[in-house]
Amino acid sequence: MKDQDREYVFAGINRICQSLISEAEVLCELIDDAGVFDSVSRRIASLEDEADDVKHELNYYYQENKLFKDQEAMLLLDLAGAVEDCTDLVDDVCKTFIRLNITEIKDSVVSCFISVGTGAVKMTELMNSVRHRNKADTPVKDIIELDHYKVEYRKIYNLNMKRLYVDGADPLEVMRWTAVYDSFMELFDAYEHVAESCGKYCIFSI
C-alpha cells in the first residue's frame, strides 16, 4: 500500500471519527432536556449520513486505485467500516428512545451517554496513534483502553437489567428499557470491534 493511499484512508477515518464525536455530543443533550428527542435525532441522522458518505468515498477510491487485492489496504478498509458502524449505532440508540416513546432519561443511563462521548474521543486518539506509529510498534495501551468501554458497560448492563426485572412493575417499561440497555450494548460491542480491528491492522500490516 502506497503512503499516499494510506494517508487518504486515514484522513477518511479521521473524518468519520469526528462525525462520531459530534454525534455523541448531540446525544448528550438529552441528559439535560429529554424534550428535544426529535431535534437531536435529526441532527444525529445528518451526522451519520456524513460518515456514510465518507465510507462510500473510500470504496470508490479503492475501486479507482485497485486496492481491493492489497492486504494492508483491506485491513484498513475493515477498520474504517468498524468505525462507521459506531456512527450507525449512535443513531440507533437515539431512535430507540423515539420508537418506544421514552420521554425521560433514567439516572442509570447518564453514565452511558457520557461514555459514548469519551469513547469516541479515545477512538480518535487511537486512530491517530496507529496512523503515526512506528511500524514495529502497536499502541496496545490505547487499544485496551478502548476495549475497556465494553467491559465497563457490561457491568452496568448486568446491574441495570437485574434491577429492571426485579423492581419493574410495568411490563411496558420493562420492555422499553430492555431495548435501551440492549442498544447501548450493541454500541459498546462496536467500540470493542474497532479495538479488535485496530489490533489486527497493526499486527498484519507490518
Side-chain angles (χ1 to χ4, degrees), residues 77-91:
L77 187 63
D78 286 343
L79 180 55
V83 177
E84 198 274 328
D85 285 343
C86 295
T87 66
D88 292 338
L89 290 167
V90 173
D91 188 35

Side-chain angles (χ1 to χ4, degrees), residues 43-110:
R43 289 156 63 198
I44 288 177
S46 178
L47 290 163
E48 192 280 320
D49 286 343
E50 290 177 8
D52 195 46
D53 287 343
V54 175
K55 185 61 168 51
H56 288 312
E57 289 173 14
L58 290 176
N59 286 332
Y60 294 142
Y61 184 87
Y62 270 59
Q63 185 174 5
E64 290 175 358
N65 292 277
K66 298 178 173 60
L67 294 175
F68 286 110
K69 293 184 179 181
D70 184 290
Q71 176 178 296
E72 179 188 354
M74 291 309 297
L75 287 168
L76 198 51
L77 187 63
D78 286 343
L79 180 55
V83 177
E84 198 274 328
D85 285 343
C86 295
T87 66
D88 292 338
L89 290 167
V90 173
D91 188 35
D92 284 347
V93 166
C94 186
K95 282 186 169 58
T96 296
F97 284 95
I98 294 174
R99 291 187 194 108
L100 301 180
N101 195 32
I102 298 172
T103 57
E104 184 177 348
I105 303 298
K106 289 180 180 287
D107 291 342
S108 59
V109 293
V110 170

